[in-house]
Amino acid sequence: MYKKLLVVVDDRVVTQSAIWQGIELARLHRADIFFFYVLPKYVFSNSDLLLEGESSPEEFERKAREHASRMLAAASALAEGADVFSHAAVGIGADDAQCVAEAAIHRHCDLIVVGTEGRNAVMRLLTGSIVSGLISIADVPVLVCRDAGAARGFGRRASVAIRAKSRRDEKRLRRERRAEEEND
């Protein structure tokens, strides 16, 4: 069904969930993945004139591209580990959602995979989430992934419960060892 997927990569924790969902879908459908990173825009305000040592727009873009390369390389390594063929691309535009939607069309993708923290619409607007805009303007389907937690495949509550159980077991073992040492 899917031949090419576009997975949006960024700095948020929830992106890991989107990357894993994209890799699993690509593996099941024997599809290729395009990992796509939208470069941040250089914002200059009058108050920046007072700050010395601030980076120039060129320096800002260079650092942003380096960071994007590291993020995309990490995502590509995960895909390679799952035997999924991947490509990496960087984009920049006035509107991030439009940039992603155009990238999907340009690369002939069948699906866009993006992560969300699951906040309400006001919080998404304030934090700059592209999800609602992307759903509105994309010509291809958009899969919105929520955070699956650090335990890959478990929700946040489940992974917290697993870590708590692990800590309890560890404490129980320490108590048992101390009791054995005291009995010896």
Side-chain angles (χ1 to χ4, degrees):
M1 179 176 183
Y2 299 119
K3 297 294 180 200
K4 295 180 183 177
L5 309 176
L6 187 135
V7 178
V8 180
V9 176
D10 57 31
D11 294 333
R12 298 172 304 146
V13 174
V14 72
T15 298
Q16 287 296 316
S17 181
I19 290 170
W20 281 114
Q21 288 287 333
I23 289 171
E24 286 299 315
L25 276 171
R27 193 176 59 73
L28 289 171
H29 292 275
R30 296 186 178 133
D32 293 347
I33 292 182
F34 285 93
F35 291 113
F36 191 73
Y37 189 98
V38 179
L39 290 173
K41 292 165 228 32
Y42 181 80
V43 179
F44 178 78
S45 68
N46 292 339
S47 64
D48 288 340
L49 291 172
L50 301 175
L51 300 174
E52 290 191 30
E54 286 293 310
S55 61
S56 65
E58 295 80 20
E59 179 70 11
F60 176 82
E61 183 176 346
R62 184 187 65 74
K63 287 180 181 178
R65 285 189 183 275
E66 287 174 1
H67 181 71
S69 291
R70 286 192 302 272
M71 299 287 290
L72 292 169
S76 294
L78 291 173
E80 185 178 315
D83 293 327
V84 173
F85 188 72
S86 67
H87 310 273
V90 175
I92 191 166
D95 179 20
D96 293 351
Q98 185 70 40
C99 184
V100 170
E102 288 174 1
I105 294 298
H106 178 70
R107 288 168 176 78
H108 307 287
C109 293
D110 306 308
L111 179 70
I112 299 171
V113 182
V114 64
T116 186
E117 288 91 357
R119 297 182 177 135
N120 65 30
V122 173
M123 287 305 294
R124 283 195 304 266
L125 182 65
L126 293 174
T127 59
S129 176
I130 66 168
V131 172
S132 56
L134 188 57
I135 291 170
S136 300
I137 62 173
D139 290 335
V140 297
V142 178
L143 173 64
V144 180
C145 303
R146 292 200 177 213
D147 186 10
R152 188 173 163 208
F154 292 102
R156 183 170 281 164
R157 288 182 184 159
S159 65
V160 168
I162 290 168
R163 281 181 271 154
K165 182 184 182 311
S166 174
R167 278 188 236 121
R168 283 192 309 269
D169 291 344
E170 199 174 291
K171 286 179 183 178
R172 183 182 46 81
L173 286 173
R174 275 191 245 138
R175 281 192 304 260
E176 288 174 0
R177 285 186 194 138
R178 273 191 235 131
E180 287 176 6
E181 289 173 2
E182 289 174 5
N183 289 337
D184 289 337

